[in-house]
Amino acid sequence: AIKHSFLFDKSLDFLFEYYNSDKAEKYINQYTHPSKKTKIKIQAHGYSRFYHDIFYPIRNKVLNIIEIGSFYGNASAALFFYFKKSKIYGADINPDMFRYKSDRIENLYVNSNSVLSIKNEIINRNIKFDIIIEDASHVNSDIRNSFNYLFPKLKYGGIYIIEDLQTSYNPHWGGD
């Protein structure tokens, strides 16, 4: 935060793009095989424009935010700078890939396919969340697991977001 203090006043899209999150308007595809990686920015999901409207009024509050499916933690890093007073939890099935550390960022191992994992790593912590972003496997059964067990962990008036819902209908991703 000290080295990058200029980021605290940036827009959410700027931060998502700066940290190469697919939530930005553009990003460098981080999911391709390393031998096929390029530095060319491509069209991303563009969630930042929707998130801006939802998050801007609450960005200076003290919040608990969790993203299920944090991958490298790029979105967690962006959210760290956007929500200056909030605790950010990045949960993923591969927590060793998480790249960022801070006293306001916590990296968790969570397998959204396993109710036991969700209970052990999130439910048993007795934390109520202001924002839950579900961006994990995109498989219908996993989305339902996360929702069924995490929605009760949402504070009254909180925000629960399911990203990439369209892929859950694709048979390649376990859609039905």
Side-chain angles (χ1 to χ4, degrees):
I2 294 169
K3 290 184 201 176
H4 297 92
S5 61
F6 69 97
L7 293 174
F8 282 113
D9 296 320
K10 299 296 182 183
S11 73
L12 193 53
D13 188 62
F14 179 93
L15 293 167
F16 282 145
E17 190 170 329
Y18 184 86
Y19 282 103
N20 199 42
S21 169
D22 62 1
K23 292 170 178 34
E25 294 292 327
K26 296 186 184 242
Y27 83 125
I28 297 168
N29 190 347
Q30 59 190 340
Y31 308 112
T32 59
H33 189 276
S35 66
K36 296 181 180 179
K37 281 197 177 200
T38 69
K39 298 284 184 192
I40 298 170
K41 290 193 176 187
I42 60 171
Q43 185 67 40
H45 296 305
Y47 296 144
S48 56
R49 72 187 110 145
F50 303 106
Y51 286 173
H52 171 80
D53 294 339
I54 298 166
F55 295 161
Y56 187 78
I58 60 173
R59 76 180 288 190
N60 292 312
K61 294 185 175 186
V62 177
L63 307 170
N64 285 319
I65 302 167
I66 187 166
E67 180 190 28
I68 313 298
S70 57
F71 201 53
Y72 293 132
N74 298 355
S76 294
L79 294 172
F80 170 88
F81 284 99
Y82 191 75
F83 292 101
K84 303 170 192 175
K85 301 174 185 174
S86 298
K87 177 82 174 193
I88 312 297
Y89 297 86
D92 200 272
I93 196 168
N94 297 304
D96 54 320
M97 294 173 55
F98 202 86
R99 297 178 174 163
Y100 306 97
K101 293 184 188 284
S102 166
D103 58 343
R104 289 194 302 111
I105 295 179
E106 190 169 338
N107 178 21
L108 307 171
Y109 166 79
V110 173
N111 177 354
S112 62
N113 187 290
S114 166
V115 172
L116 185 61
S117 175
I118 294 170
K119 284 182 178 178
N120 287 342
E121 294 298 323
I122 302 172
I123 304 299
N124 292 344
R125 290 175 175 260
N126 292 321
I127 300 169
K128 286 286 198 174
F129 295 99
D130 299 278
I131 300 171
I132 298 173
I133 301 171
E134 209 293 349
D135 188 22
S137 74
H138 312 306
V139 174
N140 281 331
S141 59
D142 296 351
I143 292 168
R144 284 191 298 269
N145 274 344
S146 293
F147 183 80
N148 289 336
Y149 287 92
L150 295 179
F151 190 77
K153 300 299 286 180
L154 192 64
K155 287 182 184 174
Y156 180 80
I159 301 164
Y160 194 103
I161 297 168
I162 301 172
E163 289 188 353
D164 304 328
L165 193 56
Q166 75 284 0
T167 61
S168 69
Y169 296 102
N170 184 328
H172 174 75
W173 293 99
D176 49 19

